[in-house]
Structures are given as C-alpha cells and as structure tokens.
Amino acid sequence: MSSESVPSFDFISDAQRVLAAAQWGNRDAEARLEELRGPLAALAEAGDLEARSLLGGIALEYDEDAVAALRHFTLAAEQGHPAGQRGLAYLLSTGRGTQRDPERAERLFASAAEAGDGHAMFNLAMMHLMDKATDPMSPRSAMTLLMTAAEQDVPEAAGVLGEWFSELGREADALTWYERAAAGGHGPSMLATAVRYRDAVGTDRDPVRSLMWFLTMLHVGNGDGIHESHELVSGMSDQQIRDAARRAHSPDWAEALISSRSR
C-alpha cells in the first residue's frame, strides 16, 4: 500500500506510539521509526505540524541530532503547535542544539501546557518543583499539573506522583501511580511496582504480579529485575512463574527461571 493511500493520522499515531517506545529503550522501535521517517517527512513538507514535531523528536532521540531537532521544533513552534513548542522549550532549557534560555523555555512550556499538551504540563511542573522557574507557582498547583499530565498518560508524571505519595507515607496511593507509570513503559516505576508487590508495601503480597513487572523491565532495556526474579521464584510454583512470564509477554523466561530454581 502506498503512503498516498494511507490516512495521515495512521502514520502520525503509529509514529507517536513507536517514538514513545523508543524513548523507553524498546530496541524494536528503532526499525519502525526508520520506516516511518519518509512518510512523516512528506507530511511535514505538506504542512502537517504534528509530523514536523515528530521528526524533531526522532532527530533528538534516535539520531541524537539536536540541530536538526531544533529546526523541526522551531518550524512547528512558530506556528503555535504545542508539541513543537514543548520540544523547542526542552532544547532551550537544556542548551542542546542552541544556547540555553530557561525563561523562554518556561514561556513555551506554559503555552503548550495551556493548549493541553500533557508532556509540557509535566515539564513545566518539574521546572517549578526543582526551583528552576521564574514565574512562581505553588507546589500544590505544580502537583495538580502533574496529576493532569498523568491522567493524559504521561508516565513520567505518574512516576513522580508515586514518589511524592510514597514520601508522604501514602503507599497505597503511591502504588496506584507507580503502576500507572509502569503500564506506560516507565522502567523505574516498573521496579518500584514489582518491589511493592513482592514486599507487600501498600498492598497485599502478590509474587505473580511482582515477577511480571520484574520481567517486563526487560522490554525497556532494563535488566535490573533479573536478580530479584531469581530470588523471588524460589517460593513460587511452576504455574505461578509461567503465569507471570505470560503476563510480561516473556514466556521463554518461565522455563529458564524454573530451571534455575531447581539447581
């Protein structure tokens, strides 16, 4: 099927999903990004600002070309596109591909956040929580921004909320947000969720769910859960191990863990 016969939103939604996966370390996503680059470039040249912003994200995350990312994000931001504003703001806040300008970055994050961009809400809230913002915002307002971002499926925001509730001693609430972040592909939250189900923190002990999250970490290129997995399975039945591996979309690991347990 030619690119002309496929609706543009198919390429856009696919690229959004694949880029997010690549950002969390999914190696399989890189090949798919390469396939989408041509259709996205054609859409961008035709004036599609979302495609232009996605090309900026690919240039930054996949090509590690901040100068190309700056060009794409600037073209989109100049026309008021929230994702372009957010991407440009990130470059300005970090000094990648351009000179640092935190004040302009804050304004761009705020503009994108006002337009409903969840990732911009997250970045703006973090600027305030880390005392890097110039326009004062109360911690409660910043946390409200994080809540809104998390509800828009920004996993980093949900992960920060998990940390915040944990520090308050509200472990059940912390687990809710950690698990939401984990489901969105956030590796550190997968680890935090797995540990809580293993140690019954904020919930009843659930070794199957714990092992599932330890193994799911492998899909984002994080092998930190393997040691914990080997220790955890010593008290689990074969069926529990297989169930956890199936839920983690890693069925091959089940037999390896069962075999290692019997040694």
Side-chain angles (χ1 to χ4, degrees):
M1 184 177 290
S2 69
S3 60
E4 289 82 2
S5 63
V6 179
S8 64
F9 63 80
D10 286 350
F11 288 118
I12 296 297
S13 60
D14 196 9
Q16 289 170 332
R17 182 173 59 254
V18 173
L19 181 58
Q23 289 170 330
W24 291 119
N26 188 320
R27 297 182 183 89
D28 294 336
E30 293 184 2
R32 181 57 181 153
L33 280 179
E34 196 61 39
E35 294 174 1
L36 290 168
R37 191 190 297 267
L40 286 174
L43 289 170
E45 289 303 315
D48 191 308
L49 299 180
E50 186 64 37
R52 178 68 69 185
S53 296
L54 282 165
L55 287 172
I58 292 172
L60 186 65
E61 300 292 342
Y62 179 52
D63 300 333
E64 297 186 1
D65 188 344
V67 174
L70 177 66
R71 177 171 60 85
H72 288 302
F73 286 142
T74 299
L75 285 170
E78 286 176 345
Q79 298 183 66
H81 190 258
Q85 292 173 328
R86 181 231 307 159
L88 178 57
Y90 171 77
L91 295 178
L92 290 167
S93 68
T94 58
R96 295 184 65 181
T98 187
Q99 186 174 353
R100 287 188 72 251
D101 189 341
E103 291 187 13
R104 186 182 174 205
E106 184 180 352
R107 291 195 300 271
L108 285 166
F109 278 139
S111 180
E114 288 172 6
D117 187 286
H119 291 279
M121 294 176 193
F122 167 73
N123 283 287
L124 182 62
M126 294 306 295
M127 286 188 77
H128 285 276
L129 292 173
M130 298 173 69
D131 294 323
K132 293 183 178 180
T134 58
D135 186 17
M137 176 186 292
S138 70
R140 182 176 293 276
S141 295
M143 295 310 293
T144 298
L145 266 183
L146 281 179
M147 288 270 191
T148 304
E151 288 166 356
Q152 291 190 25
D153 297 323
V154 178
E156 303 97 323
V160 172
L161 289 169
E163 294 175 5
W164 185 60
F165 279 112
S166 182
E167 290 172 1
L168 293 175
R170 295 170 57 178
E171 292 295 351
D173 291 321
L175 177 59
T176 296
W177 288 110
Y178 274 135
E179 193 156 20
R180 184 163 187 163
H186 190 241
S189 292
M190 291 178 189
L191 178 59
T193 302
V195 168
R196 279 163 170 74
Y197 279 118
R198 181 194 64 192
D199 299 340
V201 178
T203 186
D204 294 332
R205 188 172 187 274
D206 189 335
V208 172
R209 212 160 187 173
S210 176
L211 180 58
M212 178 194 76
W213 284 117
F214 279 135
L215 293 177
T216 302
M217 292 169 62
L218 294 168
H219 295 299
V220 294
N222 188 335
D224 291 344
I226 294 301
H227 176 71
E228 286 80 1
S229 295
H230 281 288
E231 291 192 348
L232 182 62
V233 298
S234 63
M236 295 174 65
S237 69
D238 291 0
Q239 185 55 46
Q240 285 179 314
I241 295 169
R242 291 188 179 109
D243 187 22
R246 177 184 56 79
R247 294 189 196 182
H249 305 289
S250 301
D252 292 345
W253 269 98
E255 303 310 317
L257 289 169
I258 290 170
S259 176
S260 69
R261 183 196 55 186
S262 61
R263 290 172 186 169

